Coordinates of all heavy atoms in Angstrom, one line a residue:
M16 N 8.1 -23.6 -3.6 CA 8.3 -22.3 -4.2 C 9.1 -22.5 -5.5 O 10.1 -23.2 -5.5 CB 9.1 -21.4 -3.3 CG 9.4 -20.1 -3.9 SD 10.2 -18.9 -2.7 CE 11.8 -19.6 -2.5
M17 N 8.6 -21.9 -6.6 CA 9.3 -21.9 -7.9 C 10.0 -20.6 -8.1 O 9.4 -19.6 -8.2 CB 8.3 -22.2 -9.0 CG 8.8 -22.2 -10.3 SD 9.2 -23.9 -10.7 CE 8.9 -23.9 -12.4
L18 N 11.3 -20.6 -8.1 CA 12.1 -19.4 -8.3 C 13.1 -19.6 -9.4 O 13.8 -20.6 -9.4 CB 12.8 -19.1 -6.9 CG 13.7 -17.9 -6.9 CD1 12.9 -16.6 -7.0 CD2 14.4 -17.9 -5.5
T19 N 13.1 -18.7 -10.3 CA 14.0 -18.8 -11.5 C 14.7 -17.5 -11.7 O 14.0 -16.5 -11.7 CB 13.2 -19.2 -12.8 OG1 12.4 -20.3 -12.5 CG2 14.2 -19.5 -13.9
S20 N 16.0 -17.5 -11.9 CA 16.7 -16.3 -12.2 C 17.6 -16.5 -13.4 O 18.0 -17.6 -13.6 CB 17.5 -15.8 -11.0 OG 18.5 -16.7 -10.6
S21 N 17.9 -15.4 -14.1 CA 18.7 -15.5 -15.2 C 20.2 -15.5 -14.8 O 20.5 -15.3 -13.6 CB 18.5 -14.3 -16.2 OG 18.9 -13.1 -15.6
K22 N 21.1 -15.6 -15.7 CA 22.5 -15.6 -15.4 C 23.0 -14.3 -14.7 O 23.8 -14.4 -13.8 CB 23.4 -15.8 -16.7 CG 23.2 -17.2 -17.3 CD 23.9 -17.3 -18.6 CE 23.5 -18.5 -19.4 NZ 24.1 -18.5 -20.7
N23 N 22.4 -13.2 -15.1 CA 22.8 -11.9 -14.5 C 21.9 -11.5 -13.3 O 22.0 -10.4 -12.8 CB 22.8 -10.8 -15.5 CG 21.4 -10.6 -16.1 OD1 20.4 -11.0 -15.7 ND2 21.4 -9.8 -17.2
N24 N 21.0 -12.4 -12.9 CA 20.1 -12.2 -11.7 C 19.2 -11.0 -11.9 O 18.7 -10.4 -10.9 CB 20.9 -12.0 -10.4 CG 21.5 -13.4 -10.0 OD1 20.9 -14.4 -10.2 ND2 22.7 -13.3 -9.5
A25 N 19.0 -10.5 -13.2 CA 18.1 -9.4 -13.4 C 16.6 -9.8 -13.6 O 15.8 -9.0 -13.6 CB 18.6 -8.6 -14.6
E26 N 16.4 -11.1 -13.8 CA 15.0 -11.6 -13.9 C 14.6 -12.5 -12.8 O 15.5 -13.1 -12.2 CB 14.9 -12.3 -15.3 CG 15.2 -11.5 -16.5 CD 15.3 -12.3 -17.7 OE1 14.9 -13.4 -17.7 OE2 15.7 -11.7 -18.7
L27 N 13.3 -12.5 -12.5 CA 12.8 -13.3 -11.3 C 11.5 -13.8 -11.7 O 10.7 -13.1 -12.3 CB 12.7 -12.4 -10.1 CG 12.1 -13.0 -8.9 CD1 13.0 -14.0 -8.3 CD2 11.8 -11.9 -7.9
A28 N 11.2 -15.1 -11.5 CA 9.9 -15.7 -11.7 C 9.5 -16.4 -10.4 O 10.3 -17.3 -10.0 CB 9.9 -16.6 -12.9
V29 N 8.4 -16.1 -9.9 CA 7.9 -16.8 -8.7 C 6.4 -17.1 -8.8 O 5.7 -16.4 -9.5 CB 8.2 -16.0 -7.4 CG1 9.7 -15.8 -7.1 CG2 7.5 -14.7 -7.4
N30 N 5.9 -18.1 -8.1 CA 4.5 -18.3 -8.0 C 4.1 -17.6 -6.7 O 4.4 -18.1 -5.6 CB 4.2 -19.8 -7.9 CG 2.8 -20.1 -7.8 OD1 2.0 -19.5 -7.1 ND2 2.3 -21.1 -8.6
L31 N 3.3 -16.5 -6.8 CA 2.9 -15.7 -5.6 C 2.0 -16.5 -4.7 O 2.1 -16.3 -3.5 CB 2.3 -14.4 -6.1 CG 3.3 -13.5 -6.9 CD1 2.5 -12.3 -7.4 CD2 4.4 -13.1 -6.0
Q32 N 1.1 -17.3 -5.2 CA 0.3 -18.1 -4.3 C 1.1 -19.1 -3.5 O 0.7 -19.3 -2.3 CB -0.8 -18.9 -5.1 CG -1.9 -17.9 -5.7 CD -2.9 -18.7 -6.5 OE1 -2.6 -19.4 -7.4 NE2 -4.2 -18.4 -6.2
E33 N 2.1 -19.6 -4.0 CA 3.0 -20.5 -3.2 C 3.8 -19.7 -2.1 O 4.1 -20.3 -1.1 CB 4.0 -21.3 -4.1 CG 3.3 -22.3 -5.0 CD 4.2 -23.0 -5.9 OE1 5.5 -22.8 -5.8 OE2 3.8 -23.8 -6.8
L34 N 4.0 -18.5 -2.4 CA 4.8 -17.6 -1.4 C 3.9 -17.1 -0.3 O 4.4 -16.6 0.7 CB 5.5 -16.5 -2.1 CG 6.7 -16.8 -3.0 CD1 7.2 -15.5 -3.6 CD2 7.7 -17.5 -2.2
A35 N 2.5 -17.1 -0.5 CA 1.6 -16.5 0.5 C 1.8 -17.2 1.8 O 1.8 -18.4 1.9 CB 0.2 -16.6 0.0
D36 N 1.9 -16.4 2.9 CA 2.2 -17.0 4.2 C 1.3 -16.3 5.2 O 1.4 -15.0 5.4 CB 3.6 -16.8 4.5 CG 4.0 -17.3 5.9 OD1 3.2 -18.0 6.6 OD2 5.2 -17.1 6.3
Y37 N 0.4 -17.0 5.9 CA -0.5 -16.5 6.9 C -0.2 -17.0 8.3 O -1.1 -17.1 9.1 CB -2.0 -16.8 6.5 CG -2.3 -16.4 5.1 CD1 -2.4 -17.3 4.1 CD2 -2.5 -15.0 4.8 CE1 -2.7 -16.9 2.8 CE2 -2.8 -14.6 3.5 CZ -2.9 -15.6 2.5 OH -3.2 -15.2 1.2
T38 N 1.0 -17.5 8.5 CA 1.4 -18.1 9.8 C 1.5 -17.1 10.9 O 1.3 -17.5 12.1 CB 2.7 -18.9 9.7 OG1 3.7 -18.1 9.2 CG2 2.5 -20.1 8.7
K39 N 1.8 -15.9 10.6 CA 1.8 -14.8 11.7 C 0.6 -14.0 11.6 O 0.2 -13.6 10.5 CB 3.0 -13.9 11.5 CG 4.4 -14.6 11.6 CD 5.5 -13.6 11.4 CE 6.7 -14.3 10.8 NZ 7.7 -13.3 10.4
P40 N -0.1 -13.6 12.7 CA -1.2 -12.8 12.6 C -0.8 -11.4 12.1 O 0.3 -10.9 12.3 CB -1.7 -12.7 14.1 CG -0.7 -13.3 14.9 CD 0.3 -14.0 14.0
G41 N -1.8 -10.7 11.5 CA -1.6 -9.3 11.0 C -1.0 -9.3 9.6 O -1.5 -10.0 8.7
V42 N 0.0 -8.5 9.4 CA 0.5 -8.3 8.0 C 1.9 -8.9 7.9 O 2.8 -8.7 8.8 CB 0.7 -6.7 7.8 CG1 1.2 -6.5 6.4 CG2 -0.7 -6.1 7.9
S43 N 2.2 -9.6 6.9 CA 3.5 -10.1 6.5 C 3.9 -9.6 5.2 O 3.1 -9.5 4.3 CB 3.5 -11.6 6.4 OG 3.2 -12.2 7.7
R44 N 5.1 -9.1 5.1 CA 5.6 -8.5 3.8 C 6.8 -9.3 3.4 O 7.8 -9.5 4.1 CB 6.0 -7.1 4.0 CG 6.6 -6.4 2.7 CD 7.0 -5.0 3.0 NE 5.9 -4.1 3.3 CZ 5.4 -3.3 2.4 NH1 5.9 -3.2 1.2 NH2 4.4 -2.5 2.7
K45 N 6.8 -9.7 2.1 CA 8.0 -10.4 1.5 C 8.5 -9.6 0.4 O 7.8 -9.4 -0.6 CB 7.7 -11.8 1.1 CG 8.9 -12.5 0.4 CD 8.7 -14.0 0.3 CE 9.9 -14.7 -0.2 NZ 11.1 -14.6 0.5
A46 N 9.7 -9.0 0.5 CA 10.2 -8.2 -0.6 C 10.6 -9.1 -1.7 O 11.3 -10.1 -1.5 CB 11.4 -7.4 -0.1
L47 N 10.2 -8.8 -3.0 CA 10.5 -9.6 -4.1 C 11.7 -9.0 -4.9 O 12.6 -9.6 -5.3 CB 9.3 -9.8 -5.0 CG 8.1 -10.5 -4.3 CD1 6.9 -10.4 -5.2 CD2 8.4 -11.9 -4.0
V48 N 11.5 -7.7 -5.2 CA 12.5 -6.9 -6.0 C 12.5 -5.5 -5.5 O 11.4 -4.9 -5.3 CB 12.2 -6.9 -7.5 CG1 13.2 -6.0 -8.3 CG2 12.1 -8.3 -8.1
K49 N 13.7 -4.9 -5.3 CA 13.8 -3.5 -4.9 C 15.1 -3.0 -5.6 O 16.2 -3.5 -5.4 CB 13.8 -3.3 -3.4 CG 13.8 -1.9 -3.1 CD 13.5 -1.7 -1.6 CE 13.3 -0.2 -1.3 NZ 13.0 0.1 0.0
D50 N 14.9 -1.9 -6.3 CA 16.1 -1.3 -6.9 C 15.8 0.2 -6.9 O 14.9 0.7 -6.2 CB 16.4 -1.8 -8.3 CG 15.3 -1.6 -9.3 OD1 14.5 -0.7 -9.1 OD2 15.3 -2.3 -10.3
E51 N 16.6 1.0 -7.6 CA 16.5 2.5 -7.6 C 15.1 3.0 -8.1 O 14.7 4.0 -7.7 CB 17.6 3.1 -8.4 CG 19.0 2.7 -8.1 CD 19.3 1.4 -8.8 OE1 19.0 1.1 -10.0 OE2 20.0 0.5 -8.1
Q52 N 14.5 2.2 -9.0 CA 13.3 2.6 -9.6 C 12.0 1.9 -9.2 O 10.9 2.4 -9.4 CB 13.5 2.5 -11.2 CG 14.6 3.3 -11.7 CD 15.1 2.9 -13.1 OE1 14.7 1.8 -13.5 NE2 15.8 3.7 -13.7
N53 N 12.2 0.6 -8.7 CA 11.1 -0.2 -8.5 C 11.1 -0.9 -7.1 O 12.2 -1.2 -6.6 CB 11.0 -1.3 -9.6 CG 10.9 -0.8 -11.0 OD1 9.9 -0.2 -11.3 ND2 12.0 -1.0 -11.7
S54 N 9.9 -1.2 -6.6 CA 9.8 -2.0 -5.4 C 8.6 -2.9 -5.6 O 7.5 -2.4 -5.8 CB 9.6 -1.0 -4.2 OG 9.4 -1.7 -3.0
F55 N 8.8 -4.2 -5.5 CA 7.7 -5.2 -5.6 C 7.7 -6.0 -4.3 O 8.7 -6.6 -4.0 CB 7.9 -6.1 -6.8 CG 7.9 -5.3 -8.1 CD1 9.0 -4.7 -8.6 CD2 6.7 -5.2 -8.8 CE1 9.0 -4.0 -9.8 CE2 6.6 -4.6 -10.1 CZ 7.8 -4.0 -10.6
S56 N 6.6 -6.1 -3.6 CA 6.5 -6.9 -2.4 C 5.2 -7.7 -2.5 O 4.2 -7.3 -3.0 CB 6.5 -6.0 -1.2 OG 7.7 -5.3 -1.1
L57 N 5.2 -8.9 -1.8 CA 4.0 -9.6 -1.6 C 3.6 -9.3 -0.2 O 4.3 -9.6 0.8 CB 4.3 -11.1 -1.8 CG 3.1 -12.1 -1.5 CD1 2.0 -11.8 -2.5 CD2 3.5 -13.5 -1.5
L58 N 2.3 -8.8 0.0 CA 1.8 -8.6 1.3 C 0.7 -9.6 1.6 O -0.1 -9.9 0.7 CB 1.2 -7.2 1.4 CG 2.1 -6.1 1.9 CD1 3.2 -5.8 0.8 CD2 1.4 -4.8 2.2
C59 N 0.7 -10.2 2.8 CA -0.3 -11.2 3.2 C -0.9 -10.7 4.5 O -0.2 -10.3 5.5 CB 0.4 -12.5 3.4 SG 1.1 -13.2 1.9
L60 N -2.2 -10.6 4.5 CA -2.9 -10.1 5.7 C -3.8 -11.3 6.2 O -4.5 -11.9 5.4 CB -3.8 -8.9 5.4 CG -3.1 -7.6 5.3 CD1 -2.3 -7.5 4.0 CD2 -4.2 -6.5 5.3
T61 N -3.8 -11.6 7.5 CA -4.7 -12.6 8.0 C -6.1 -12.0 8.1 O -6.3 -10.8 8.2 CB -4.2 -13.2 9.3 OG1 -4.0 -12.1 10.2 CG2 -2.9 -13.9 9.2
A62 N -7.1 -12.9 8.0 CA -8.5 -12.5 8.1 C -8.7 -11.6 9.3 O -8.2 -11.9 10.4 CB -9.4 -13.7 8.2
G63 N -9.4 -10.5 9.1 CA -9.7 -9.6 10.2 C -8.7 -8.5 10.4 O -9.0 -7.5 11.1
T64 N -7.6 -8.5 9.8 CA -6.6 -7.5 9.9 C -7.0 -6.2 9.3 O -7.6 -6.2 8.2 CB -5.2 -7.9 9.2 OG1 -4.8 -9.1 9.9 CG2 -4.2 -6.9 9.3
E65 N -6.8 -5.1 10.0 CA -7.1 -3.8 9.5 C -5.8 -2.9 9.4 O -5.0 -3.0 10.3 CB -8.1 -3.1 10.3 CG -9.5 -3.7 10.3 CD -10.5 -2.9 11.0 OE1 -10.5 -1.7 10.8 OE2 -11.4 -3.5 11.7
I66 N -5.6 -2.2 8.3 CA -4.6 -1.2 8.2 C -5.3 0.1 8.2 O -6.1 0.4 7.3 CB -3.7 -1.4 6.9 CG1 -3.0 -2.8 7.0 CG2 -2.7 -0.3 6.8 CD1 -2.3 -3.1 5.7
H67 N -5.0 0.9 9.2 CA -5.7 2.2 9.3 C -5.3 3.2 8.2 O -4.2 3.0 7.6 CB -5.4 2.8 10.7 CG -6.0 2.0 11.8 ND1 -7.3 1.8 12.1 CD2 -5.3 1.1 12.7 CE1 -7.5 1.0 13.1 NE2 -6.3 0.6 13.5
E68 N -6.1 4.2 8.0 CA -5.9 5.2 6.9 C -4.5 5.8 7.0 O -4.0 6.2 8.1 CB -6.9 6.3 7.0 CG -6.8 7.2 5.8 CD -8.0 8.2 5.7 OE1 -7.9 9.2 6.4 OE2 -8.9 7.9 4.9
H69 N -3.8 5.8 5.9 CA -2.5 6.4 5.7 C -2.3 6.9 4.3 O -3.2 6.7 3.5 CB -1.4 5.4 6.1 CG -1.4 4.2 5.3 ND1 -2.3 3.2 5.4 CD2 -0.5 3.8 4.3 CE1 -2.1 2.2 4.5 NE2 -1.0 2.6 3.8
T70 N -1.2 7.5 4.0 CA -0.9 7.9 2.6 C 0.5 7.3 2.3 O 1.3 6.9 3.2 CB -0.9 9.4 2.4 OG1 0.1 10.0 3.3 CG2 -2.3 10.0 2.7
A71 N 0.8 7.3 1.0 CA 2.1 6.9 0.5 C 2.7 8.1 -0.3 O 1.9 8.7 -1.1 CB 2.1 5.7 -0.3
P72 N 4.0 8.4 -0.2 CA 4.6 9.5 -0.9 C 4.7 9.3 -2.4 O 5.1 10.2 -3.2 CB 5.9 9.7 -0.2 CG 6.3 8.4 0.3 CD 5.0 7.7 0.7
R73 N 4.5 8.0 -2.9 CA 4.7 7.7 -4.3 C 3.4 7.0 -4.7 O 2.7 6.4 -3.9 CB 5.9 6.9 -4.5 CG 5.9 5.5 -3.8 CD 7.1 4.7 -4.2 NE 7.1 3.4 -3.6 CZ 6.4 2.4 -4.1 NH1 5.7 2.5 -5.2 NH2 6.4 1.2 -3.5
P74 N 3.2 6.9 -6.1 CA 2.1 6.1 -6.5 C 2.3 4.6 -6.2 O 3.4 4.1 -6.1 CB 2.1 6.2 -8.1 CG 3.0 7.4 -8.3 CD 3.9 7.6 -7.1
V75 N 1.2 3.9 -5.9 CA 1.3 2.5 -5.5 C 0.2 1.7 -6.3 O -0.9 2.3 -6.5 CB 1.0 2.3 -4.0 CG1 0.8 0.9 -3.6 CG2 2.1 3.0 -3.2
S76 N 0.5 0.5 -6.6 CA -0.5 -0.4 -7.2 C -0.6 -1.6 -6.4 O 0.3 -2.1 -5.8 CB -0.2 -0.7 -8.7 OG 0.9 -1.5 -8.8
V77 N -1.8 -2.2 -6.5 CA -2.1 -3.4 -5.8 C -2.8 -4.4 -6.8 O -3.7 -4.0 -7.5 CB -3.1 -3.2 -4.6 CG1 -3.7 -4.4 -4.0 CG2 -2.4 -2.3 -3.5
T78 N -2.3 -5.6 -6.8 CA -2.9 -6.7 -7.6 C -3.2 -7.8 -6.7 O -2.3 -8.4 -6.1 CB -2.0 -7.1 -8.8 OG1 -1.6 -6.0 -9.5 CG2 -2.7 -8.1 -9.6
V79 N -4.5 -8.2 -6.5 CA -4.9 -9.2 -5.6 C -4.6 -10.6 -6.1 O -5.0 -10.9 -7.3 CB -6.4 -9.1 -5.2 CG1 -6.8 -10.2 -4.2 CG2 -6.7 -7.7 -4.7
I80 N -3.9 -11.4 -5.3 CA -3.5 -12.8 -5.7 C -4.6 -13.7 -5.2 O -5.0 -14.6 -5.9 CB -2.2 -13.1 -5.1 CG1 -1.1 -12.1 -5.5 CG2 -1.8 -14.6 -5.5 CD1 -0.9 -11.8 -6.9
E81 N -5.0 -13.6 -4.0 CA -6.1 -14.5 -3.4 C -6.7 -13.8 -2.2 O -6.1 -12.8 -1.6 CB -5.5 -15.8 -3.0 CG -4.4 -15.8 -1.9 CD -3.8 -17.1 -1.6 OE1 -3.9 -18.0 -2.5 OE2 -3.2 -17.2 -0.6
G82 N -7.9 -14.2 -1.8 CA -8.6 -13.7 -0.7 C -9.5 -12.6 -1.0 O -9.8 -12.2 -2.2
R83 N -10.1 -12.0 0.1 CA -11.1 -10.9 -0.1 C -10.8 -9.8 1.0 O -10.4 -10.1 2.1 CB -12.5 -11.4 0.1 CG -13.0 -12.2 -1.1 CD -14.5 -12.6 -1.0 NE -15.0 -12.7 0.3 CZ -15.9 -11.8 0.9 NH1 -16.3 -10.7 0.3 NH2 -16.3 -12.0 2.1
G84 N -11.1 -8.6 0.6 CA -10.9 -7.5 1.5 C -11.6 -6.3 1.0 O -12.2 -6.3 -0.1
V85 N -11.6 -5.2 1.8 CA -12.2 -3.9 1.4 C -11.1 -2.9 1.5 O -10.5 -2.7 2.6 CB -13.4 -3.5 2.2 CG1 -13.9 -2.2 1.8 CG2 -14.5 -4.6 2.1
L86 N -10.8 -2.2 0.4 CA -9.9 -1.1 0.4 C -10.7 0.2 0.3 O -11.6 0.4 -0.6 CB -9.0 -1.1 -0.9 CG -8.0 0.0 -1.1 CD1 -6.9 0.1 -0.1 CD2 -7.4 0.0 -2.5
T87 N -10.4 1.1 1.2 CA -11.1 2.4 1.2 C -10.0 3.4 0.6 O -9.0 3.6 1.2 CB -11.5 2.9 2.6 OG1 -12.4 1.9 3.1 CG2 -12.3 4.2 2.5
L88 N -10.3 3.9 -0.6 CA -9.4 4.8 -1.3 C -10.0 6.1 -1.6 O -11.0 6.2 -2.3 CB -9.0 4.1 -2.6 CG -8.0 4.8 -3.5 CD1 -6.7 5.1 -2.8 CD2 -7.8 4.0 -4.8
G89 N -9.5 7.1 -1.0 CA -10.1 8.5 -1.2 C -11.5 8.5 -0.8 O -12.3 9.2 -1.5
G90 N -11.9 7.8 0.2 CA -13.3 7.8 0.7 C -14.2 6.8 -0.1 O -15.4 6.6 0.3
Q91 N -13.7 6.1 -1.1 CA -14.5 5.1 -1.9 C -14.1 3.7 -1.5 O -12.9 3.4 -1.4 CB -14.3 5.3 -3.4 CG -15.0 4.4 -4.2 CD -14.6 4.5 -5.7 OE1 -13.9 5.4 -6.1 NE2 -15.2 3.6 -6.5
E92 N -15.1 2.8 -1.2 CA -14.8 1.4 -0.9 C -14.7 0.6 -2.2 O -15.5 0.7 -3.1 CB -15.9 0.8 0.0 CG -15.9 1.4 1.4 CD -16.8 0.6 2.3 OE1 -17.5 -0.3 1.9 OE2 -16.7 0.9 3.5
I93 N -13.6 -0.1 -2.3 CA -13.3 -1.0 -3.4 C -13.2 -2.4 -2.9 O -12.4 -2.7 -1.9 CB -12.0 -0.6 -4.1 CG1 -12.1 0.8 -4.6 CG2 -11.7 -1.6 -5.2 CD1 -10.8 1.4 -5.0
T94 N -14.0 -3.4 -3.4 CA -13.9 -4.8 -3.0 C -12.7 -5.4 -3.7 O -12.5 -5.3 -4.9 CB -15.2 -5.5 -3.5 OG1 -16.3 -4.9 -2.9 CG2 -15.1 -7.0 -3.1
L95 N -11.8 -6.0 -2.8 CA -10.7 -6.6 -3.3 C -10.9 -8.1 -3.3 O -11.4 -8.7 -2.4 CB -9.5 -6.4 -2.3 CG -9.0 -4.9 -2.2 CD1 -7.8 -4.8 -1.2 CD2 -8.6 -4.3 -3.6
Q96 N -10.6 -8.7 -4.5 CA -10.8 -10.2 -4.7 C -9.8 -10.6 -5.8 O -9.3 -9.7 -6.5 CB -12.2 -10.6 -5.0 CG -12.8 -9.9 -6.2 CD -14.3 -10.1 -6.3 OE1 -14.9 -10.6 -5.4 NE2 -14.8 -9.8 -7.5
Q97 N -9.6 -11.8 -5.9 CA -8.6 -12.3 -6.9 C -8.7 -11.7 -8.2 O -9.8 -11.6 -8.8 CB -8.7 -13.9 -7.0 CG -7.6 -14.4 -7.9 CD -7.7 -16.0 -8.0 OE1 -8.6 -16.6 -7.4 NE2 -6.7 -16.6 -8.6
G98 N -7.6 -11.2 -8.8 CA -7.6 -10.6 -10.1 C -7.8 -9.1 -10.1 O -7.6 -8.4 -11.1
V99 N -8.2 -8.4 -9.0 CA -8.5 -7.0 -9.0 C -7.2 -6.2 -8.9 O -6.3 -6.6 -8.2 CB -9.4 -6.6 -7.8 CG1 -9.5 -5.1 -7.6 CG2 -10.8 -7.2 -8.0
F100 N -7.1 -5.2 -9.8 CA -5.9 -4.3 -9.8 C -6.4 -2.9 -9.4 O -7.5 -2.5 -9.9 CB -5.4 -4.2 -11.2 CG -4.3 -3.2 -11.4 CD1 -3.0 -3.4 -11.1 CD2 -4.7 -1.9 -11.9 CE1 -2.0 -2.4 -11.2 CE2 -3.7 -0.9 -12.1 CZ -2.4 -1.2 -11.8
V101 N -5.6 -2.3 -8.5 CA -6.0 -0.9 -8.1 C -4.7 0.0 -8.2 O -3.6 -0.5 -7.7 CB -6.5 -0.9 -6.6 CG1 -6.8 0.6 -6.2 CG2 -7.7 -1.8 -6.4
Y102 N -4.9 1.1 -8.8 CA -3.8 2.1 -8.8 C -4.1 3.2 -7.9 O -5.2 3.8 -7.9 CB -3.6 2.7 -10.3 CG -2.6 3.8 -10.3 CD1 -1.3 3.5 -10.4 CD2 -3.1 5.1 -10.3 CE1 -0.3 4.6 -10.4 CE2 -2.1 6.2 -10.4 CZ -0.8 5.9 -10.4 OH 0.1 6.9 -10.4
M103 N -3.2 3.6 -7.0 CA -3.4 4.7 -6.0 C -2.4 5.8 -6.3 O -1.2 5.6 -6.1 CB -3.2 4.1 -4.6 CG -4.2 3.1 -4.2 SD -3.9 2.5 -2.5 CE -2.7 1.2 -2.8
P104 N -2.8 7.0 -6.7 CA -1.9 8.1 -6.9 C -1.2 8.4 -5.5 O -1.7 8.2 -4.5 CB -2.8 9.2 -7.3 CG -4.1 8.6 -7.8 CD -4.2 7.3 -7.0
A105 N -0.1 9.1 -5.7 CA 0.7 9.5 -4.5 C -0.2 10.3 -3.6 O -1.0 11.1 -4.0 CB 1.9 10.3 -4.9
N106 N 0.0 10.2 -2.3 CA -0.6 11.0 -1.2 C -2.1 10.8 -1.1 O -2.8 11.7 -0.6 CB -0.2 12.5 -1.4 CG 1.2 12.7 -1.3 OD1 1.9 12.2 -0.4 ND2 1.8 13.3 -2.3
T107 N -2.7 9.8 -1.7 CA -4.1 9.5 -1.6 C -4.4 8.7 -0.3 O -3.8 7.6 -0.1 CB -4.6 8.7 -2.8 OG1 -4.3 9.4 -4.0 CG2 -6.1 8.5 -2.7
P108 N -5.3 9.2 0.6 CA -5.6 8.4 1.8 C -6.2 7.1 1.4 O -7.1 7.0 0.6 CB -6.6 9.3 2.5 CG -6.4 10.7 1.9 CD -6.0 10.5 0.5
H109 N -5.7 6.0 2.1 CA -6.3 4.7 1.9 C -6.2 3.9 3.2 O -5.3 4.1 4.0 CB -5.7 4.0 0.7 CG -4.2 3.9 0.8 ND1 -3.3 4.9 0.6 CD2 -3.4 2.8 1.2 CE1 -2.1 4.5 0.7 NE2 -2.1 3.2 1.1
A110 N -7.1 2.9 3.3 CA -7.2 2.0 4.5 C -7.6 0.6 3.9 O -8.1 0.5 2.8 CB -8.1 2.5 5.5
L111 N -7.3 -0.4 4.7 CA -7.6 -1.8 4.2 C -8.1 -2.6 5.4 O -7.7 -2.6 6.5 CB -6.3 -2.4 3.7 CG -6.4 -3.8 3.1 CD1 -7.3 -3.9 1.9 CD2 -5.0 -4.2 2.7
H112 N -9.1 -3.5 5.0 CA -9.7 -4.5 6.0 C -9.7 -5.8 5.2 O -10.4 -5.9 4.2 CB -11.1 -4.1 6.4 CG -11.7 -5.0 7.4 ND1 -13.0 -5.3 7.4 CD2 -11.1 -5.9 8.3 CE1 -13.3 -6.2 8.3 NE2 -12.2 -6.6 8.9
A113 N -9.0 -6.8 5.8 CA -9.0 -8.2 5.2 C -10.2 -8.9 5.7 O -10.3 -9.2 6.9 CB -7.7 -8.9 5.5
L114 N -11.1 -9.3 4.8 CA -12.3 -10.0 5.2 C -12.0 -11.5 5.4 O -12.6 -12.2 6.2 CB -13.4 -9.9 4.2 CG -13.9 -8.4 3.9 CD1 -14.9 -8.4 2.8 CD2 -14.5 -7.8 5.2
E115 N -11.0 -12.0 4.7 CA -10.5 -13.3 4.8 C -9.0 -13.2 4.5 O -8.5 -12.1 4.2 CB -11.1 -14.3 3.9 CG -11.1 -13.9 2.4 CD -12.0 -14.8 1.6 OE1 -13.2 -15.0 1.9 OE2 -11.6 -15.3 0.5
N116 N -8.2 -14.3 4.7 CA -6.8 -14.2 4.4 C -6.6 -13.6 3.0 O -7.3 -14.0 2.0 CB -6.1 -15.6 4.4 CG -5.9 -16.1 5.8 OD1 -6.1 -15.4 6.8 ND2 -5.6 -17.4 5.9
L117 N -5.8 -12.6 2.9 CA -5.7 -11.8 1.7 C -4.2 -11.6 1.3 O -3.4 -11.2 2.1 CB -6.3 -10.4 1.9 CG -6.2 -9.3 0.8 CD1 -7.1 -9.7 -0.4 CD2 -6.7 -8.0 1.4
A118 N -3.9 -11.9 0.0 CA -2.5 -11.7 -0.5 C -2.6 -10.8 -1.7 O -3.4 -11.0 -2.6 CB -1.9 -13.0 -0.8
F119 N -1.6 -9.9 -1.8 CA -1.6 -9.0 -3.0 C -0.2 -8.6 -3.3 O 0.7 -8.5 -2.4 CB -2.5 -7.8 -2.9 CG -2.3 -6.9 -1.7 CD1 -1.4 -5.9 -1.7 CD2 -3.0 -7.1 -0.5 CE1 -1.2 -5.0 -0.6 CE2 -2.8 -6.3 0.6 CZ -1.9 -5.2 0.5
L120 N 0.1 -8.3 -4.6 CA 1.3 -7.8 -5.0 C 1.2 -6.3 -4.9 O 0.3 -5.6 -5.3 CB 1.6 -8.1 -6.5 CG 2.9 -7.6 -7.1 CD1 4.1 -8.2 -6.4 CD2 2.9 -7.9 -8.6
H121 N 2.2 -5.7 -4.1 CA 2.3 -4.3 -3.8 C 3.5 -3.7 -4.6 O 4.6 -4.1 -4.4 CB 2.4 -4.1 -2.3 CG 2.5 -2.7 -1.8 ND1 3.6 -2.0 -1.8 CD2 1.5 -1.9 -1.3 CE1 3.3 -0.8 -1.3 NE2 2.1 -0.7 -1.0
T122 N 3.2 -2.7 -5.5 CA 4.3 -2.2 -6.3 C 4.3 -0.6 -6.2 O 3.3 -0.1 -5.8 CB 4.2 -2.6 -7.8 OG1 3.0 -2.1 -8.3 CG2 4.3 -4.0 -7.9

């Protein structure tokens, strides 16, 4: 893992692929940064994991680091694969199915 911080600990640099962890079945979440305004986490889902439809009270974005899955967002299916970015407005119903081990940045 490559982790770099500045003198005041306000900056963070990590290799997200190196942090990806599929050792536990289901969903693993690693908090990267959380403050009054922002929340950044790495989510890792093992192949076959499903997250049933739910909503979030704030806007959320997803940036896929590796793997494949299907995100159902507001009734529309979106294929998730490396490099895909998705913005989800607050209170939009969404669900997720990991077709293979899947890691994404959740903000």
